[in-house]
Amino acid sequence: YPDGAGPDEANDGDFRTSWYLDEGQTSGWMEVNLGMQESFNVLALVEPVGKLDDYPQSRIRSYRFERWNGQRWSVLTSGESPEPTTILRVPRVSSQKVRLLLESNQQMPRIAEIGIYNQPD
């Protein structure tokens, strides 16, 4: 990946960098490894809408967040056509890995940031 475009760029706290699918792909996924079992109940998905000249609206047609339960991936939440910054509250769960799967419209989407948070109820 070129500088500022790899999967780690979607979880670096910098909204100026982003991860994107390989050229020509319209679906794909990325995994965030939390390093250890962590509890969380909020997921955030941020696209650089309006931050780039050629990116005036969301390019994501549908998305799905999953967590690894130790044996298989299970769906946490999913949706279509997200807002540029989408905050999703989910029932509190625990996992070491979270995966984002997405399908795009005609243009390649970029993910500026994925957030995984444990917020008070």
Side-chain angles (χ1 to χ4, degrees), residues 43 62-66 75-80 88 90 101:
L43 301 165
S62 65
Y63 65 91
R64 184 172 72 233
F65 278 99
E66 298 178 339
V75 176
L76 290 165
T77 188
S78 62
E80 296 180 355
L88 305 158
V90 297
L101 297 92

Side-chain angles (χ1 to χ4, degrees), residues 5-13 17 19 30 113:
D8 55 331
E9 304 295 335
N11 194 24
D12 64 355
T17 60
W19 166 77
M30 70 166 299
E113 203 67 26

Side-chain angles (χ1 to χ4, degrees), residues 57-99:
Q57 63 188 32
S58 177
R59 295 179 179 177
I60 297 173
R61 184 174 65 223
S62 65
Y63 65 91
R64 184 172 72 233
F65 278 99
E66 298 178 339
R67 75 175 182 101
W68 180 250
N69 69 12
Q71 298 179 350
R72 62 181 173 80
W73 291 100
S74 61
V75 176
L76 290 165
T77 188
S78 62
E80 296 180 355
S81 304
E83 294 295 320
T85 299
T86 299
I87 309 295
L88 305 158
R89 189 167 275 282
V90 297
R92 189 176 316 280
V93 294
S94 180
S95 184
Q96 181 176 336
K97 299 178 196 175
V98 176
R99 183 165 70 175

